[in-house]
Amino acid sequence: LALDMPALADEDLPVAEIAPILNQHPCETSCKVKGKLFDYTLEPVDLNGDGRREYLVRDESRCGSGGCAEALFMRVGNDWKKLLGNFGSLQVMNTRTKGFADVVVSYSLHDPNKRTVQKTYRWDGQQYRARK
């Protein structure tokens, strides 16, 4: 896993903000955590079937009509790496690509019909990419 790979929506839930929270609150089940500025829900997941916890993090303070700021984080060595982030909803699926769980990102459009868009992201061996 390359540490220098860019994460999607990196401006939301940056690693520098979330890593200390993950280090201080290694939840074994879903838990709510108060940060310095925001409130988070940490949901442990096993993205790659290795038995180690990765986390789906939702910022409960940054929600709007399109959803909340959410991101997936994975421990790499002593650091945390953001694998995927978005405003909306991230759902970890049971299907896998190259050993990692597929992820469906859903968000609402700001249009009169309030349509919901869903995109499936699959692991390409180094990062999550939208299915084409």
Side-chain angles (χ1 to χ4, degrees):
L1 179 66
L3 284 175
D4 59 347
M5 70 180 195
L8 298 177
D10 201 40
E11 67 280 359
D12 303 311
L13 298 177
V15 173
E17 179 181 327
I18 301 302
I21 292 168
L22 294 174
N23 289 332
Q24 293 170 9
H25 304 281
C27 304
E28 292 185 25
T29 60
S30 181
C31 66
K32 294 195 182 284
V33 175
K34 283 196 169 289
K36 290 180 182 177
L37 299 174
F38 303 108
D39 297 332
Y40 303 97
T41 297
L42 310 180
E43 182 74 37
V45 295
D46 187 357
L47 294 174
N48 57 359
D50 66 356
R52 295 185 189 137
R53 287 186 298 266
E54 289 82 37
Y55 286 92
L56 171 60
V57 177
R58 177 182 304 111
D59 182 342
E60 302 292 346
S61 307
R62 290 186 253 186
C63 296
S65 60
C68 298
E70 293 190 1
L72 288 169
F73 291 87
M74 177 180 189
R75 185 176 286 284
V76 179
N78 292 325
D79 298 319
W80 288 95
K81 176 65 186 164
K82 182 173 164 185
L83 300 179
L84 182 65
N86 198 18
F87 269 98
S89 172
L90 299 178
Q91 182 180 4
V92 178
M93 307 303 290
N94 291 326
T95 56
R96 294 185 178 275
T97 303
K98 297 190 179 185
F100 276 70
D102 299 334
V103 179
V104 173
V105 176
S106 304
Y107 57 92
S108 298
L109 296 176
H110 299 285
D111 68 7
N113 297 324
K114 297 185 180 181
R115 293 177 290 160
T116 299
V117 174
Q118 288 189 326
K119 288 186 180 181
T120 300
Y121 286 79
R122 292 194 170 105
W123 190 253
D124 71 0
Q126 294 191 4
Q127 67 183 13
Y128 276 103
R129 293 196 184 268
R131 181 178 152 208
K132 294 180 179 172

